[in-house]
Amino acid sequence: ADRLIQRCGAVDERKFRDQILDSMDIERERGITIKSNTITLDYKASDGKTYQLNLIDTPGHVDFSHEVRRSLMSCEGAILLIDASQGVEAQTVANSYLAMEFDLEILPVINKIDLISADVERAKEEIEADLGLDAEDAILCSAKEGTGIDELLEAIVQRLPAPEGDVEAPPRALLFDAVYDPYRGVVLACRVKDGALRAGRTIRLMNTGKEHEVEEVGLLGLQRKPLTELGTGSVGYVLAGIKTVRDVVVGDTITESERPAAEALPGYKDAKSVVFSSSYPMATDEYVELVKALDKLVLNDAALTFEKDSSVALGHGFRCGFLGLLHLEVVQERLRREYG
């Protein structure tokens, strides 16, 4: 992701840093991605045209597969990264099946070819045997040294299909992520499938039925770039002065109140928790703070579930559900760091 962003000139060299899309401290410390992150890039291809590419960088760890699922629903194609020294791993297989389920065009990329232990031929054999993809088309690259990045960008433009959608239809957009901004309220990240979303119009969230007036729409870069409208096929953000977190469900369909769409977009499933743990505040008067913190965290992490719980010894708290032990650790750490 870093190299694609650099090659497309989306960030000044001065402001650039490694793992640029991993915005949380905990991601940088552990060297993993926990939250999906989106950026819009302009790429000038060898045919002389400039293409707009929407990149969603998703986690690879099984505990965050819910993030991957939502991101895949917003895309036409996927770059499937295979480590040249480790080959195809279990999670690679799981994610490629998920991409096939959504009919995505898959572009296999063998990365880290600069390593001494890299075995490109074995990686190609595994791609054909385990994933059933044509390894002849696999692109060889080393993100560390920057080799193969141009070939990859050309392949994205030539082999991944452009978005389709009805420009004239009532607006329909998939809400695939949301974050809480203390100054602007809830920031919705969405992928417009049909029609367009414009500032000043009133939108309706089809699942909850709540209506809000749009204050601003735009593209997601490292900073938000406001536009007059988000057209068909674009990925961007919507600010609609939503103050309460309860009004938003990730996976919902956004439409316009005056011209609502007939049906919501299909394919969204709730995450199923597999690890449970109860959380209690150290002091009973911190209970309200814990409620607020969990509410805001659930908005940013749709796989986290919680319900009220109480015990004679510990007082009031919550029984929380997680997708795995790493997920539990990360949530605990985020509650501590981001919400004190």
Side-chain angles (χ1 to χ4, degrees):
D2 288 347
R3 292 297 159 266
L4 294 174
I5 291 167
Q6 269 182 314
R7 173 67 183 75
C8 294
V11 183
D12 291 344
E13 284 302 319
R14 276 182 314 136
K15 292 182 185 164
F16 186 78
R17 57 179 189 171
D18 285 343
Q19 270 183 273
I20 196 156
L21 286 181
D22 292 342
S23 47
M24 296 194 292
D25 295 341
I26 187 167
E27 292 180 304
R28 310 184 74 80
E29 282 164 27
R30 290 173 181 239
I32 56 170
T33 304
I34 292 166
K35 277 296 302 164
S36 297
N37 228 328
T38 315
I39 190 166
T40 302
L41 306 170
D42 290 321
Y43 171 60
K44 196 169 189 319
S46 57
D47 61 7
K49 294 181 188 163
T50 299
Y51 294 88
Q52 190 183 76
L53 311 177
N54 292 301
L55 167 72
I56 304 182
D57 178 21
T58 66
H61 197 282
V62 65
D63 280 20
F64 309 111
S65 56
H66 196 58
E67 292 278 333
V68 181
R69 185 182 192 93
R70 296 201 312 248
S71 305
L72 289 175
M73 286 166 62
S74 317
C75 297
E76 272 72 36
I79 298 172
L80 189 68
L81 283 181
I82 314 270
D83 187 317
S85 65
Q86 293 181 326
V88 172
E89 299 189 274
Q91 202 52 33
T92 319
V93 180
N95 284 344
S96 59
Y97 281 142
L98 207 54
M100 288 170 193
E101 191 186 313
F102 292 113
D103 281 340
L104 299 196
E105 188 66 42
I106 300 175
L107 201 58
V109 175
I110 299 173
N111 189 24
K112 304 191 186 178
I113 55 168
D114 57 290
L115 294 178
I116 302 166
S117 58
D119 186 346
V120 174
E121 287 312 309
R122 198 197 70 199
K124 282 188 174 178
E125 282 166 21
E126 288 184 7
I127 290 173
E128 298 210 334
D130 300 347
L131 303 175
L133 299 171
D134 187 3
E136 283 305 301
D137 298 341
I139 291 160
L140 308 181
C141 68
S142 156
K144 187 177 177 185
E145 295 179 349
T147 40
I149 300 298
D150 289 345
E151 289 85 339
L152 175 55
L153 282 160
E154 283 298 317
I156 291 172
V157 168
Q158 288 161 16
R159 286 159 52 186
L160 302 188
E164 292 173 1
D166 187 345
V167 185
E168 301 302 320
R172 281 202 307 173
L174 174 77
L175 169 60
F176 66 87
D177 203 1
V179 285
Y180 186 80
D181 181 322
Y183 303 105
R184 304 294 303 266
V186 179
V187 183
L188 309 174
C190 62
R191 155 71 206 270
V192 184
K193 296 275 188 182
D194 300 315
L197 295 174
R198 295 180 181 87
R201 300 281 176 94
T202 305
I203 53 166
R204 178 185 300 162
L205 297 165
M206 291 180 85
N207 190 350
T208 55
K210 295 273 168 60
E211 298 192 352
H212 304 276
E213 190 180 331
V214 180
E215 293 169 6
E216 184 180 301
V217 296
L219 297 177
L220 292 149
L222 293 173
Q223 278 87 32
R224 298 197 281 263
K225 296 178 204 161
L227 295 174
T228 47
E229 68 163 39
L230 276 182
T232 306
S234 49
V235 174
Y237 70 89
V238 175
L239 287 169
I242 304 172
K243 293 286 179 280
T244 54
V245 174
R246 295 270 177 215
D247 288 359
V248 182
V249 180
V250 170
D252 207 342
T253 303
I254 302 172
T255 187
E256 219 171 71
S257 308
E258 289 158 29
R259 254 191 6 154
E263 56 179 3
L265 295 163
Y268 184 75
K269 287 183 187 167
D270 280 332
K272 289 188 174 61
S273 305
V274 289
V275 172
F276 294 90
S277 156
S278 290
S279 302
Y280 294 91
M282 289 292 281
T284 46
D285 57 354
E286 287 181 336
Y287 178 75
V288 179
E289 291 301 309
L290 183 62
V291 179
K292 284 182 190 164
L294 281 169
D295 264 346
K296 286 174 187 167
L297 202 54
V298 162
L299 177 71
N300 194 235
D301 180 355
L304 169 66
T305 58
F306 65 93
E307 50 189 50
K308 283 181 180 166
D309 193 14
S310 66
S311 96
V312 182
L314 300 167
H316 292 290
F318 293 98
R319 184 166 183 267
C320 308
F322 306 92
L323 291 184
L325 290 172
L326 178 65
H327 188 205
L328 162 72
E329 251 180 80
V330 166
V331 169
Q332 220 172 356
E333 197 59 30
R334 287 185 71 184
L335 280 173
R336 195 172 291 137
R337 291 186 193 195
E338 293 171 35
Y339 303 100

